């Protein structure tokens, strides 16, 4: 574990130096309130670099996660570390939320249409170098990610670099590529990308002083309530947080209303938000069939 920790700390130090050199501002540690974020934050503290912490408020996090983030940020600010919570806004200046985003996008969020992530999580920290808690062990898709990435809106301008070649030498071709992108892209470092699940859990419980209460409630993953990427665990989330279930149903009701106003096709023949919710949850209940919960008094 010590070698893994030191390797990640060296990545953070290298990224911090690059951030100051290319962007003339500190490296940003992105923070969501989950175990990966807390592990990464602890590594940042131990690295000794100057850094800032950023959270994107999704409006769909569990209350325990929101309170955990607030406590962590309060403690960090007392230590002189700058923290920022990003509240996204619509064109008219009003706050963007999961609940007004769904009627605007006209479809429920899904594994394919992940507009909620792009709108509520991934469009912050422009023209900066950021660190994320992305790990290869989390999904097959994330195995394509690298330790260092220069992200541009155009695919052709996306530069992938590994930590062996990312050196601040005057004649390094890779460094020049990143400099060409720096004004229109953000650069990403993934310090814990090669950590396995067991590595994260071991470090989290033994080295991190504060823990998200959701993990004590049996949660393995912490994120937006109802995230389609969470699979079957969404049923537990909505059982524990029924207000969020109702919020999604209300948002789906408004979505249907807007779709009808625009005379868009309704191939699923949704009549209301509840039917959309059941489809969205991949509920196989046949309409009209008997259910045991109808008899619970």
């Amino acid at each position: 574990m010590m070698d893994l920790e030191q390797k990640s700390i060296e990545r953070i130090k290298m990224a911090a130096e690059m951030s100051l050199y290319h962007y003339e501002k500190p490296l940003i540690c992105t923070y969501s309130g989950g175990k990966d974020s807390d592990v990464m934050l602890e590594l940042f503290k131990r690295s000794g670099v100057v850094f800032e912490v950023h959270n994107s408020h999704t409006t769909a996090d569990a209350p325990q996660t929101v309170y955990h983030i607030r406590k962590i940020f309060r403690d960090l600010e007392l230590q002189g570390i700058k923290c920022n919570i990003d509240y996204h806004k619509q064109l008219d200046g009003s706050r963007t939320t999961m609940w007004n985003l769904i009627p605007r996008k006209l479809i429920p969020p899904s594994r394919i249409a992940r507009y909620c992530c792009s709108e509520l999580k991934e469009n912050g920290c422009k023209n900066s170098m950021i660190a994320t808690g992305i790990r290869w062990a989390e999904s097959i898709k994330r195995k394509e990610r690298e330790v260092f990435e220069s992200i541009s809106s155009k695919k052709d301008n996306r530069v992938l670099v590994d930590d062996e070649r990312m050196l601040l030498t005057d004649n390094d071709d890779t460094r020049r590529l990143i400099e060409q992108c720096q004004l229109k892209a953000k650069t990403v470092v993934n310090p814990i990308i090669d950590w396995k699940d067991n590595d994260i859990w071991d470090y989290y419980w033994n080295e991190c002083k504060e823990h998200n209460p959701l993990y004590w409630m049996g949660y393995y993953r912490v994120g937006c309530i109802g995230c389609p990427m969470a699979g079957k665990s969404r049923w537990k989330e909505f059982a524990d947080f029924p207000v969020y279930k109702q919020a999604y149903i209300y948002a789906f009701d408004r979505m249907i209303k807007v779709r009808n106003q625009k005379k868009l096709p309704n191939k699923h023949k949704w009549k209301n938000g509840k039917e959309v919710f059941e489809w969205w949850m991949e509920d196989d209940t046949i309409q009209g069939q008997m259910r045991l919960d109808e008899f619970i008094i």
Side-chain angles (χ1 to χ4, degrees):
M1 174 58 72
M2 187 59 66
D3 290 341
L4 198 59
E5 177 190 55
Q6 194 56 42
K7 187 177 182 180
S8 298
I9 287 175
E10 289 304 317
R11 289 168 178 166
I12 290 170
K13 289 180 178 179
M14 188 181 299
E17 184 179 350
M18 289 171 58
S19 182
L20 291 174
Y21 186 90
H22 291 295
Y23 296 102
E24 299 183 346
K25 50 188 173 183
L27 177 64
I28 297 173
C29 175
T30 58
Y31 186 82
S32 66
K35 62 185 185 303
D36 292 352
S37 289
D38 279 316
V39 167
M40 194 167 64
L41 183 58
E42 183 62 27
L43 293 170
F44 262 82
K45 292 177 183 177
R46 297 185 183 193
S47 72
V49 304
V50 176
F51 67 98
E52 298 177 1
V53 188
H54 176 92
N55 167 256
S56 290
H57 186 62
T58 68
T59 70
D61 282 319
Q64 289 87 341
T65 298
V66 175
Y67 296 144
H68 179 64
I69 292 170
R70 288 176 182 173
K71 184 180 188 309
I72 292 295
F73 278 24
R74 185 166 57 249
D75 293 343
L76 289 172
E77 287 175 339
L78 289 174
Q79 298 171 43
I81 299 171
K82 183 179 178 181
C83 300
N84 177 57
I85 297 179
D86 193 2
Y87 298 95
H88 304 279
K89 292 185 177 181
Q90 302 183 90
L91 294 176
D92 62 2
S94 61
R95 186 173 294 178
T96 301
T97 68
M98 180 71 79
W99 324 117
N100 59 34
L101 194 56
I102 289 172
R104 180 152 59 87
K105 293 296 184 178
L106 300 172
I107 57 173
S110 67
R111 292 184 181 93
I112 299 174
R114 297 178 63 185
Y115 57 77
C116 41
C117 288
S118 60
E119 294 266 356
L120 297 171
K121 293 175 68 174
E122 297 170 357
N123 63 354
C125 303
K126 295 179 180 178
N127 299 321
S128 301
M129 186 156 192
I130 68 171
T132 79
I134 286 176
R135 294 186 296 114
W136 286 325
E138 291 181 301
S139 69
I140 295 175
K141 183 68 175 175
R142 290 190 171 187
K143 288 182 180 178
E144 300 174 5
R145 305 299 289 269
E146 300 289 338
V147 175
F148 285 88
E149 301 176 319
S150 182
I151 307 300
S152 171
S153 58
K154 295 181 180 179
K155 275 192 172 181
D156 292 343
N157 290 336
R158 190 169 184 269
V159 182
L160 301 182
V161 188
D162 63 47
D163 55 336
E164 297 297 329
R165 292 187 292 116
M166 179 52 65
L167 300 173
L168 294 178
T169 54
D170 288 339
N171 60 353
D172 188 83
D173 289 339
T174 300
R175 178 187 158 197
R176 288 198 292 271
L177 282 171
I178 287 180
E179 287 176 336
Q180 289 169 4
C181 293
Q182 66 175 317
L183 295 179
K184 55 186 175 182
K186 61 184 174 185
T187 310
V188 179
V189 59
N190 305 310
I192 58 174
I193 197 166
D194 48 357
W195 287 46
K196 304 260 190 312
D197 290 346
N198 287 343
D199 299 326
I200 289 291
W201 284 116
D202 182 58
Y203 199 90
Y204 182 66
W205 291 119
N206 290 292
E207 305 297 333
C208 299
K209 295 180 181 179
E210 300 289 341
H211 305 108
N212 190 316
L214 289 179
Y215 293 121
W216 296 104
M217 296 170 58
Y219 282 86
Y220 180 82
R221 170 196 171 278
V222 168
C224 292
I225 299 297
C227 176
M229 305 302 291
K232 296 297 183 181
S233 65
R234 291 194 292 168
W235 290 107
K236 173 176 169 55
E237 293 174 357
F238 287 125
D240 290 339
F241 305 101
V243 172
Y244 284 75
K245 174 181 177 179
Q246 199 57 53
Y248 274 109
I249 290 174
Y250 287 154
F252 293 148
D253 274 329
R254 295 194 297 275
M255 179 194 78
I256 289 177
K257 183 177 180 180
V258 177
R259 287 183 64 89
N260 289 339
Q261 290 172 348
K262 292 179 176 291
K263 297 182 179 180
L264 296 176
N266 184 4
K267 67 177 182 178
H268 297 287
K269 298 182 180 179
W270 293 321
K271 299 184 184 68
N272 51 53
K274 185 174 184 296
E275 290 186 1
V276 178
F277 181 84
E278 290 173 350
W279 171 88
W280 185 58
M281 292 292 289
E282 301 175 0
D283 190 341
D284 296 328
T285 300
I286 299 173
Q287 188 173 4
Q289 93 173 9
M290 184 179 295
R291 293 178 51 170
L292 290 178
D293 59 8
E294 294 174 358
F295 297 92
I296 298 175
I297 300 175

